[in-house]
């Protein structure tokens, strides 16, 4: 369908500037042009959005079946934990197509603009972050767990640290700001690390961060072991289809089969000569349109 749903694009591009959106529109137009299409459709917008937000697809990357299986279970773990955390943003898509630095990812999207961040969503995000590593551990076994979850671990640790040191979310530490080990930057040089918490407090901060992340790990572990069949279902479907939307994952778990209407790559509309390059630009008074970059 050629309809472009601006609402869906808006939901999927939180924090984009006007320039970012212009770039997105250009990428989508370039994709359409490459496909000899006369119209830019949602399909091009989706692909352009993924490229702009997460880096280019790396379909040529040589990945072993074993690596694919590991990635499928890791992403299925994130997805299944997200489905069981009501405070989590809904899943937009899960994929095992490598992109940028990642072998796979689960993208969640907020349903509307968010102006604040509540405790229940933080806990959900911690558990979802742990879901990938936990799935690896359940499926591959302790010995075969990989370093791949470093990004998830970094995200979860950073979130837990903010909760404890900035957002007053630890009972033990209370609603205080603990600016720990702030780097002093003087004339572009980092001069000294000022210690503005006592050693005793620093220890409690570390303990509280660890507690939050470990509780999230245990929560993810419980969800995945309680719903192991669903974990297998999602991973298998990822191995088969490579990318699943959030709706498809939910349908799958309801027992529905995933049916794909494969959109024809090039709807064979005859191309009129010359000015047939798809454009999203505003028509000019001379009848032309804004040029696309080479
Ligand atoms: C490697 N890359 O280094 C391979 C090529 C665990 C299935 N041997 O968590 O791709 O393992 O849910 C930000 C963005 C580390 C931070 C990407 C930190 C990629 C991504 C290394 C999935 N999906 N990890 C993930 C992944 C890897 C990496 C990152 C990052 C994997 C994982 C990368
Ligand atoms: Zn992950």
């Amino acid at each position: 369908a050629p309809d472009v749903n601006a609402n869906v694009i808006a939901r999927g591009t939180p924090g984009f500037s006007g320039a970012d959106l212009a770039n997105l529109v250009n990428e989508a137009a370039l994709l359409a042009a490459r496909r000899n299409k006369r119209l830019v459709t949602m399909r091009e917008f989706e692909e352009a959005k993924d490229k702009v937000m997460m880096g280019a697809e790396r379909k040529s990357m040589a990945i072993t079946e074993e690596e694919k299986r590991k990635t499928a279970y890791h992403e299925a773990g994130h997805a299944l934990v997200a489905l069981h955390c009501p405070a989590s943003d809904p899943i937009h898509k899960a994929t095992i197509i490598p992109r940028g630095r990642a072998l796979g990812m689960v993208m969640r999207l907020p349903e509307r603009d968010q102006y604040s961040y509540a405790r229940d969503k933080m806990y959900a995000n911690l558990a979802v972050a742990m879901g990938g590593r936990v799935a690896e551990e359940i499926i591959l076994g302790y010995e075969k767990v990989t370093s791949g979850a470093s990004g998830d671990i970094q995200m979860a640790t950073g979130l837990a640290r903010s909760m404890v040191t900035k957002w007053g979310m630890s009972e033990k530490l209370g609603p205080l700001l603990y600016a720990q080990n702030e780097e002093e930057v003087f004339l572009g040089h980092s001069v000294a690390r000022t210690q503005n918490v006592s050693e005793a407090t620093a220890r409690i901060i570390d303990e509280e961060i660890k507690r939050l992340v470990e509780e999230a790990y245990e929560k993810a572990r419980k969800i995945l072991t309680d719903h192991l069949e669903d974990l297998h279902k999602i991973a298998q479907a990822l191995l088969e289809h490579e990318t699943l939307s959030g709706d498809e994952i939910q349908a799958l778990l309801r027992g529905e089969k995933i049916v794909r209407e494969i959109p024809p790559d090039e709807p064979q509309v005859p191309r009129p000569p010359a000015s047939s390059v798809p454009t999203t630009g505003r028509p000019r008074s001379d009848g032309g349109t804004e040029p696309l970059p080479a």
Side-chain angles (χ1 to χ4, degrees), residues 61 70-71 74-75 78 101-105 136 148-152:
M61 200 172 161
K70 185 196 79 178
T71 305
H74 178 103
E75 305 314 331
H78 285 307
R101 287 174 60 201
L103 296 171
M105 65 187 64
E136 285 184 46
S150 63
D152 299 329

